[in-house]
Amino acid sequence: MITAADIRTIAERWKRATRPLKIQDQKYGHHLVQMLGEYNGEEIKRFDDPLEAAAFIVLVRMVRELDLVDY
């Protein structure tokens, strides 16, 4: 079971990984970290892999921002 602390750990790693990016790409890295850091739902408990949970959180937020889902 994944905890909020696991997600915060990944967000911190992603934050450190953003630093060596090219300056024009750093804003995208920061945005991903922000997306992950703002997440506070309980749905992540259904995952066993913290990276899978983080990817799911960010991808759902990206789709929502782009409004690509037509239901």
Side-chain angles (χ1 to χ4, degrees):
M1 179 169 63
I2 304 302
T3 65
D6 295 325
I7 298 301
R8 284 192 301 273
T9 300
I10 291 174
E12 282 301 314
R13 267 189 274 163
W14 288 9
K15 187 176 183 179
R16 287 190 305 273
T18 296
R19 290 184 196 131
L21 293 175
K22 293 179 182 176
I23 195 76
Q24 65 268 24
D25 292 335
Q26 286 182 2
K27 63 182 175 183
Y28 303 117
H30 290 299
H31 189 59
L32 292 174
V33 170
Q34 180 184 1
M35 286 180 183
L36 198 54
E38 291 175 353
Y39 182 79
N40 60 0
E42 292 292 318
E43 297 85 10
I44 59 172
K45 291 182 178 180
R46 298 172 195 254
F47 291 97
D48 294 326
D49 179 8
L51 183 56
E52 182 183 13
F56 182 78
I57 292 165
V58 169
L59 290 170
V60 167
R61 173 95 183 254
M62 290 173 74
V63 170
R64 188 176 67 208
E65 286 183 2
L66 295 172
D67 197 28
L68 294 176
V69 179
D70 221 12
Y71 290 102

